[in-house]
Amino acid sequence: MDRRRDVAFAVSRAFGPGLDRMSKRPGTPLLDRVTDPAELRKLDERELKQLAEEVRAETIDAVSRTGGHLGAGLGVVELTVALHYVFETPRDRLIWDVGHQAYPHKILTGRRDRIRTLRQEGGLSGFTRRAESEYDPFGTAHSSTSISAGLGMAVARDLDGRRNRVVAVIGDGAMSAGMAYEAMNNAGHLRSNLIVILNDNDMSIAPPVGAMSAYLARLVSGRTYRKMRSVAKRLLKWLPDWFTDKVALTEEFTRSFWAGGGTLFEELGFYYVGPIDGHNLDHLLPVLRNVANAKNGPFLVHVVTQKGKGYAPAEKAPDKFHGVGKFDIVTGAQAPNQSNLPTYTRIFGEALSAEAERDDRIVAITAAMPAGTGLDLFGQRFPHRLFDVGIAEQHAVTFAAGLAAEGFKPFCALYSTFLQRGYDQVVHDVALQSLPVRFAIDRAGFVGADGPTHAGAFDTAFLAPLPGMVLMAAADEAELMHMVATAVALDDRPSAFRYPRGEGVGVDLPAQGVPLALGKGRILREGTKVALFSYGARLHECLTAADELAGYGLPTTVADARFAKPLDVDLLHRLAREHEVLITIEEGSSGGFGALCLEALARSGSLDAGVKIRTLTLPDRNLEQASPASLYAAAGLNSAGIIAAVFAAIGRAEPARAAGRA
């Protein structure tokens, strides 16, 4: 049995009789004809169910080879087919919130031939990207941006006098972010013709729905009902207020009773339709046609879907199949991790849990990422001290500030790239009041397959200007344990410590973390010619570079800054004074650790002495997805790049055996 038949067989077992014909007939005959949505719209409506089955099989096969986000994409297969069938994409704008559910969309929009390059170096992005396709009108990899972007596009259309439709697809999880409601409030006020598809895949808003609900959704989204409703509203203006209020309440109750809700969205100015079964094309198509043909707006169409739909392992464990590595299609077994080293994320979760055993004032906050930040480990031991606030980083930061104001010790664990979303709150609600909120910043530096949208580049640069803020970066997993302990002990000011994604370097771990001396670095190796001053997990590349530089007659000192703020200025001045070359190395953007070092040296006059100083940072451009090793090599932040920077600083040609090294 070839691989495509394996996929069909595995999917048919999970999905039921609806895919029996696929298991008997290998290949994807309908999908082979659909090179773009224009070809899709030539199909007979009765063929769409089979097409959806083939898209589902293709998605499973592709992700089994590359890894990536699986469950969310499988949940929107029928919805994706229906949207491209009803709407005239790319003329009609289709925006996928977050974009991790857009793999079926990519298959149907001319990218099927590259779908097995997902998240690979030189391949397709794991999210939507404007530069990748005209069918991706807006790049999305952070949550809850789609309605705002869609409203901007709808208003631009209206200003230009165009008549295309704008559709934003947003999940119920993304609706936990305040930005979505800000956008809806504005959209309701502007009355622009915008269509929002609420993909409710956790059934957190409404229960499963059936034929009656689908019929009513089709009815209330239809032109006749909406016209009658509009006429009735105009007539009611001439009647007494008490009568108008009674009629409005009656309609609201009736629609809510039969359709399952929507009052909130109606109050925000949207015309609510649903909920409807997002896997039933017979229900989806007429409703989408109705809203597509409507001249007024905005609309919110509420569809209920299932994560992992059509693939049994993903249906049974949607959390494990949200993001996956390569896996076996028939069994669902994911490829084992080849390394036995613990990840930094796990080390953080275990270290914080150990500290919480000794201090019952420690609490933890996450923004819908308990497993991604390691706080699931904390939550297993202290379920009442872990707070998952949803996709709401702004709230997470100020919530933590409130806890700190009352004497608790909050650890707010966020990815670096998501902390950006709560920056105003860090400035105004935390730093301005010197509240001891501890920020655990995961995903420092390059993250590999998730690409530039998730790379942790800017946190040092945007946190350093804040008065009183303590900034640390872990060089290895033992240092991370010590920094957790340091943050616990810092109870009079805010602090942050950053660490990368992936496994540690394999150092021996202490029995427990010990608070570090504030603002003091350490020297790991002494030399006389070159000084490498590292901030973060590039330290071991510095040690490797120092070994080779010594062989070239360049004895090298390697120092670990530990702190960017307060900076160890005594150590910095010593390195500048006693060496011919000083190189700072960090996994962050310009304006961060290296800039702090240059400012300190300039302030003291140390730059006047003639020491050659270079700052190595992430480049001033976005690097697309690739392995972290490849990305750090491209950025010049591996041992070879460090050696090249040293030889460039001293004006000597780099020896050939070093220049050829990756």
Side-chain angles (χ1 to χ4, degrees), residues 329-341:
I329 292 174
V330 176
T331 66
Q334 297 186 39
N337 189 345
Q338 299 300 314
S339 173
N340 292 321
L341 296 174

Side-chain angles (χ1 to χ4, degrees), residues 109-342:
T109 54
R111 287 169 277 183
R112 183 189 178 194
D113 61 339
R114 300 183 63 207
I115 199 65
R116 287 163 185 80
T117 69
L118 272 170
R119 296 160 50 88
Q120 311 299 303
E121 185 171 0
L124 295 178
S125 169
F127 307 97
T128 53
R129 287 191 69 220
R130 283 173 55 83
E132 190 175 286
S133 171
E134 64 178 335
Y135 291 94
D136 293 356
F138 199 77
T140 49
H142 286 192
S143 168
S144 315
T145 63
S146 61
I147 304 177
S148 296
L151 180 59
M153 292 180 181
V155 170
R157 171 205 61 206
D158 297 341
L159 292 172
D160 281 342
R162 291 181 278 116
R163 300 181 65 84
N164 61 293
R165 282 75 62 96
V166 179
V167 183
V169 184
I170 185 169
D172 59 318
M175 291 296 288
S176 65
M179 184 177 181
Y181 296 96
E182 294 174 20
M184 292 186 73
N185 182 60
N186 191 206
H189 170 71
L190 293 175
R191 305 301 300 170
S192 189
N193 193 2
L194 170 70
I195 299 167
V196 174
I197 309 294
L198 171 56
N199 176 30
D200 182 1
N201 58 21
D202 278 329
M203 291 183 292
S204 60
I205 299 175
V209 291
M212 177 59 75
S213 179
Y215 169 74
L216 289 170
R218 185 166 68 249
L219 177 67
V220 301
S221 65
R223 182 179 179 184
T224 301
Y225 180 91
R226 288 185 287 105
K227 188 172 182 179
M228 290 174 59
R229 188 173 185 249
S230 178
V231 170
K233 282 189 172 183
R234 289 198 296 271
L235 289 173
L236 286 172
K237 291 180 180 179
W238 300 97
L239 297 174
D241 289 344
W242 65 268
F243 187 82
T244 303
D245 293 342
K246 290 293 184 184
V247 172
L249 285 171
T250 301
E251 193 218 17
E252 178 181 305
F253 171 78
T254 303
R255 295 185 67 206
S256 295
F257 179 80
W258 286 108
T263 302
L264 171 63
F265 305 119
E266 292 271 353
E267 290 297 323
L268 288 170
F270 275 71
Y271 191 91
Y272 173 86
V273 180
I276 57 176
D277 185 349
H279 299 295
N280 190 322
L281 287 163
D282 294 332
H283 294 177
L284 280 172
L285 291 170
V287 171
L288 292 179
R289 286 194 183 100
N290 281 341
V291 298
N293 293 328
K295 299 297 188 291
N296 60 333
F299 276 88
L300 185 135
V301 181
H302 179 182
V303 301
V304 176
T305 62
Q306 180 184 5
K307 285 182 179 178
K309 180 70 171 178
Y311 184 53
E315 290 181 355
K316 293 175 182 177
D319 54 338
K320 293 182 180 179
F321 279 84
H322 171 73
V324 296
K326 298 178 182 179
F327 63 93
D328 180 84
I329 292 174
V330 176
T331 66
Q334 297 186 39
N337 189 345
Q338 299 300 314
S339 173
N340 292 321
L341 296 174

Side-chain angles (χ1 to χ4, degrees), residues 527-531 553-555 574-583 609-614 646 649-650 652:
T528 56
K529 294 287 187 181
V530 176
L554 297 170
R574 176 189 164 190
L575 296 176
R577 184 174 61 251
E578 297 178 359
H579 300 82
E580 296 177 15
V581 176
L582 170 60
I583 309 285
V611 61
K612 297 180 176 65
I613 300 178
R614 302 291 185 271
V646 169
I650 62 178
R652 280 173 48 184

Side-chain angles (χ1 to χ4, degrees), residues 503-537:
E503 295 90 10
V505 297
V507 300
D508 293 333
L509 297 178
Q512 70 179 63
V514 177
L516 302 171
L518 193 62
K520 293 298 179 184
R522 56 175 179 153
I523 291 180
L524 287 85
R525 188 165 305 175
E526 292 276 11
T528 56
K529 294 287 187 181
V530 176
L532 303 179
F533 200 19
S534 175
Y535 180 64

